[in-house]
Amino acid sequence: MTATLAPTGATNADRHDDADLITALRDGDEAAFAHLVDRYHAALVRLARLYVSDAAAEDVAQETWLGFLRGLSRFEGRASLKTWLFRILVNRARTRAVRDGRTIPLSTLGRETESVEPAVDPARFRAADDPRWPGHWLVAPLTDDLPEQRFLTGELNDQVRRAVATLPPAQRQVVTLRDIQGFSSDEVCGLLHLTDANQRVLLHRGRSKVRAALEAYCAAEV
């Protein structure tokens, strides 16, 4: 349940592509802008839904494109073009969420990493005083029942998205950005203003919960 993307420290090829695209956009190349919209608009809407209602998400995405075009002259290439675009989206979505009374305080992102929350349900392990296997698996992960090809099915993808939707807000944001949107850890830290340690904790806890939900689903299917 992982996705890959070029890291925030953009390669020379990435920077060259961004530079060419920025030049085209600044020259008023409509085809270049249409290409960018086709590539990222749906992902912008999905990310906006983490902050605002489904009805407002499209508006936030449209506002993001307007902000993007207005800010083109100020883009200095310190981050990738994609990171800059999604940073605009997050800022717009947070502003809209505050206005709509749906905001998630930034402080909660850190508090979720500080809570004493096990990544795996303790009930899945044998007791510390077990006479033979103390602390070992009681209910082991169903790795054999989750072959890679099953992740390609639409039904299982739907289960993943449902499981992600039930995560606590900070975990949901990090898992969505890393595993669904394909952002690198550095990009997520920049977008959500998290330390690398917090990002890793939230990702691990979120992935563990999604994995447990998929195991329960597959066990029921078996």
Side-chain angles (χ1 to χ4, degrees):
M1 209 193 82
T2 57
T4 57
L5 185 73
T8 295
T11 64
N12 290 334
D14 294 330
R15 293 188 183 281
H16 179 72
D17 291 343
D18 279 358
D20 289 345
L21 187 53
I22 284 293
T23 298
L25 292 168
R26 287 173 175 167
D27 289 341
D29 188 331
E30 294 184 3
F33 182 65
H35 167 74
L36 206 60
V37 172
D38 288 343
R39 187 174 182 180
Y40 292 126
H41 184 76
L44 289 173
V45 173
R46 287 195 298 269
L47 181 56
R49 286 175 180 154
L50 296 180
Y51 298 88
V52 300
S53 67
D54 288 355
E58 181 68 35
D59 291 341
V60 170
Q62 296 291 347
E63 292 171 7
T64 297
W65 288 116
L66 290 175
F68 173 82
L69 291 173
R70 290 168 181 161
L72 272 176
S73 61
R74 301 190 301 274
F75 180 68
E76 299 177 352
R78 294 178 182 175
S80 70
L81 188 63
K82 177 184 177 182
T83 299
W84 182 56
L85 173 64
F86 279 78
R87 190 172 294 152
I88 295 172
L89 181 281
V90 169
N91 290 335
R92 291 286 194 282
R94 283 176 172 160
T95 299
R96 178 64 177 265
V98 170
R99 195 171 75 208
D100 294 350
R102 292 171 54 98
T103 186
I104 301 170
L106 287 177
S107 58
T108 64
L109 299 182
R111 282 204 298 270
E112 280 191 30
T113 66
E114 297 168 3
S115 61
V116 184
E117 175 190 348
V120 180
D121 186 352
R124 301 186 66 167
F125 298 95
R126 295 180 183 275
D129 59 355
D130 185 274
R132 187 173 183 185
W133 304 107
H136 285 231
W137 285 106
L138 179 63
V139 182
L142 301 178
T143 52
D144 292 338
D145 292 325
L146 292 173
E148 188 67 24
Q149 59 268 28
R150 293 200 62 177
F151 282 93
L152 302 178
T153 67
E155 183 177 355
L156 202 57
N157 282 334
D158 289 343
Q159 293 297 323
V160 170
R161 293 183 185 277
R162 290 191 188 102
V164 170
T166 67
L167 295 175
Q171 293 176 24
R172 184 171 68 247
Q173 290 178 22
V174 171
V175 170
T176 297
L177 287 169
R178 287 295 308 277
D179 293 339
I180 297 178
Q181 304 287 10
F183 281 91
S184 70
S185 59
D186 287 345
E187 288 173 319
V188 172
C189 289
L191 286 171
L192 300 182
H193 305 289
L194 293 169
T195 66
D196 181 61
N198 283 349
Q199 185 269 156
R200 283 187 280 108
V201 170
L202 291 167
L203 181 64
H204 177 63
R205 289 179 176 175
R207 282 177 173 173
S208 295
K209 291 176 182 176
V210 172
R211 175 74 185 190
L214 290 181
E215 288 179 1
Y217 168 74
C218 290
E221 288 294 301
V222 173

